[in-house]
Amino acid sequence: MASPSNDSTASVSEFLLICFPNYQSWQHWLSLPLSLLFLLAMGANATLLITIRLEASLHEPMYYLLSFLSLLDMVLCLTVIPKVLAIFWFDLRAISFSACFLQMFIMNCFLAMESCTFMVMAYDRYVAICHPLRYPSIITDQFVVKASVFIMARNALFLLPVPVLSSRLRYCAENIIKNCICTNLSVSKLSCDDITFNQLYQFVAAWTLLGSDLILIVLSYSFILKAVLKIKAEGAAAKALSTCGSHFILILFFSTVLLVLVITNLARKRIPPDVPILLNILHHLIPPALNPIVYGVRTKEIKQGIQKLLRRLHEVK
């Protein structure tokens, strides 16, 4: 990541994160549910990763993609929530210049990686249902490796300029960020420079990446639905749709929280500023906490794998 210019480092060497500027008394009350959600997200994703790693029957491309999604969720949680809790519990509001822009990069990049992972998972389900005979030859371990490299490279290259552009702005005096995390908008508006290009680039890059993923996901499910409706065997259609159920629920979680966050940010003048801040935090907690639970409950193979893991742990004790 590009280092900040000399002008900016001479004036500002760190930022102060002010969570919920209008309702700071809420912080201690919020810390308990946020802590529980954080522990749930980390524990559920870790359990899912260990189960897939230890259970030989889960060593398949679909579950490898789910493992990749769990890793992304854990990194997002660890990037945001510990700092938020440190602010709530210990009033540790200071964050260094470089740490702030690193957090900004990881949040932007990994959020887009999740969207891209959902797109690849939708393609996986499309091939499984629309071209079942070709599935073993198309969706292979090598495909998962290539897809993972593509997901990381595409989003890192497109979104690296966001924190780089922000870090090169001049920050003259103001260093108080009215947010719990270093979002591009919250940080860049403290600059003395014109931030039009910075904001325009993030807007175009984010909607290009997320928009293209969403279009491909909708197309995949359109083809899946069309294929399922043609299946005449009794119960076959329901069975085919059930294999997509968990994935579709995860996409709804991700998209709904993101959509609400976007709407509240666009309507900032009508909504208290603390609401978008809270939604931004929850967006890094709710999908990561629910994703492994949904798959664990709805997927028979994962449920059996978790049960085996729990039996092993019980035997060890």
Side-chain angles (χ1 to χ4, degrees), residues 156-259:
L157 289 173
F158 270 88
L159 293 170
L160 179 61
V162 173
V164 170
L165 289 169
S166 288
S167 69
R168 290 187 174 278
L169 295 171
R170 289 182 304 114
Y171 296 90
C172 306
E174 183 69 37
N175 72 333
I176 296 177
I177 301 173
K178 294 181 180 180
N179 205 328
C180 298
I181 53 184
C182 290
T183 64
N184 183 43
L185 180 61
S186 299
V187 176
S188 61
K189 70 180 182 181
L190 301 178
S191 170
C192 320
D193 295 333
D194 182 12
I195 61 172
T196 304
F197 181 74
N198 178 299
Q199 292 179 319
L200 181 62
Y201 182 88
Q202 181 177 24
F203 179 82
V204 172
W207 284 108
T208 298
L209 296 174
L210 298 180
S212 61
D213 292 341
L214 182 60
I215 290 171
L216 291 171
I217 288 170
V218 170
L219 283 175
S220 295
Y221 274 99
S222 298
F223 289 129
I224 288 171
L225 185 59
K226 184 179 178 181
V228 166
L229 292 176
K230 290 181 179 179
I231 299 176
K232 296 180 179 180
E234 186 178 351
K239 184 177 180 180
L241 285 175
S242 69
T243 64
C244 302
S246 301
H247 179 214
F248 189 68
I249 291 172
L250 301 191
I251 293 172
L252 282 179
F253 285 149
F254 180 84
S255 302
T256 302
V257 178
L258 183 61
L259 181 61

Side-chain angles (χ1 to χ4, degrees), residues 47 125 290 295:
T47 301
R125 292 299 85 200
L290 294 179
Y295 257 97

Side-chain angles (χ1 to χ4, degrees), residues 75-93:
V75 172
L76 274 171
C77 278
L78 290 170
T79 301
V80 173
I81 305 306
K83 180 60 180 177
V84 173
L85 293 177
I87 295 171
F88 287 179
W89 290 339
F90 310 112
D91 204 32
L92 298 176
R93 306 180 185 210

Side-chain angles (χ1 to χ4, degrees), residues 305-317:
I306 293 174
Q307 290 171 348
K308 288 182 182 179
L309 178 63
L310 293 176
R311 281 198 295 268
R312 288 179 186 176
L313 293 173
H314 181 71
E315 290 171 0
V316 170
K317 290 180 181 180

Side-chain angles (χ1 to χ4, degrees), residues 30-311:
L30 278 173
S31 65
L32 179 59
L34 290 181
S35 301
L36 294 175
L37 275 173
F38 175 66
L39 292 174
L40 176 63
M42 297 302 294
N45 281 289
T47 301
L48 186 63
L49 286 170
I50 294 170
T51 300
I52 293 174
R53 174 68 181 86
L54 296 179
E55 186 58 41
S57 63
L58 299 178
H59 293 175
E60 297 179 4
M62 182 178 73
Y63 300 112
Y64 292 148
L65 289 171
L66 184 57
S67 297
F68 189 71
L69 182 65
S70 287
L71 286 172
L72 294 177
D73 282 338
M74 292 179 76
V75 172
L76 274 171
C77 278
L78 290 170
T79 301
V80 173
I81 305 306
K83 180 60 180 177
V84 173
L85 293 177
I87 295 171
F88 287 179
W89 290 339
F90 310 112
D91 204 32
L92 298 176
R93 306 180 185 210
I95 184 169
S96 69
F97 202 89
S98 57
C100 185
F101 293 110
L102 177 61
Q103 186 189 66
M104 185 188 299
F105 170 69
I106 293 175
M107 286 190 301
N108 284 317
C109 187
F110 279 63
L111 181 67
M113 283 186 190
E114 282 206 12
S115 173
C116 195
T117 304
F118 284 131
M119 182 266 290
V120 174
M121 292 171 75
Y123 175 71
D124 168 82
R125 292 299 85 200
Y126 160 74
V127 176
I129 293 173
C130 298
H131 304 282
L133 297 179
R134 296 177 59 196
Y135 181 83
S137 61
I138 296 176
I139 309 298
T140 61
D141 291 352
Q142 190 177 20
F143 168 82
V144 174
V145 172
K146 290 179 179 178
S148 301
V149 172
F150 168 75
I151 291 168
M152 291 185 289
R154 184 198 75 161
N155 296 292
L157 289 173
F158 270 88
L159 293 170
L160 179 61
V162 173
V164 170
L165 289 169
S166 288
S167 69
R168 290 187 174 278
L169 295 171
R170 289 182 304 114
Y171 296 90
C172 306
E174 183 69 37
N175 72 333
I176 296 177
I177 301 173
K178 294 181 180 180
N179 205 328
C180 298
I181 53 184
C182 290
T183 64
N184 183 43
L185 180 61
S186 299
V187 176
S188 61
K189 70 180 182 181
L190 301 178
S191 170
C192 320
D193 295 333
D194 182 12
I195 61 172
T196 304
F197 181 74
N198 178 299
Q199 292 179 319
L200 181 62
Y201 182 88
Q202 181 177 24
F203 179 82
V204 172
W207 284 108
T208 298
L209 296 174
L210 298 180
S212 61
D213 292 341
L214 182 60
I215 290 171
L216 291 171
I217 288 170
V218 170
L219 283 175
S220 295
Y221 274 99
S222 298
F223 289 129
I224 288 171
L225 185 59
K226 184 179 178 181
V228 166
L229 292 176
K230 290 181 179 179
I231 299 176
K232 296 180 179 180
E234 186 178 351
K239 184 177 180 180
L241 285 175
S242 69
T243 64
C244 302
S246 301
H247 179 214
F248 189 68
I249 291 172
L250 301 191
I251 293 172
L252 282 179
F253 285 149
F254 180 84
S255 302
T256 302
V257 178
L258 183 61
L259 181 61
V260 171
L261 181 59
V262 170
I263 292 172
T264 52
N265 274 283
L266 291 174
R268 277 180 179 273
K269 293 182 180 179
R270 300 181 182 180
I271 296 174
D274 298 297
V275 173
I277 293 173
L278 178 60
L279 288 174
N280 214 331
I281 296 171
L282 292 177
H283 184 56
H284 292 84
L285 270 177
I286 293 178
L290 294 179
N291 289 353
I293 294 174
V294 169
Y295 257 97
V297 170
R298 290 184 57 87
T299 308
K300 180 181 177 182
E301 292 79 6
I302 291 180
K303 190 187 297 185
Q304 291 175 342
I306 293 174
Q307 290 171 348
K308 288 182 182 179
L309 178 63
L310 293 176
R311 281 198 295 268

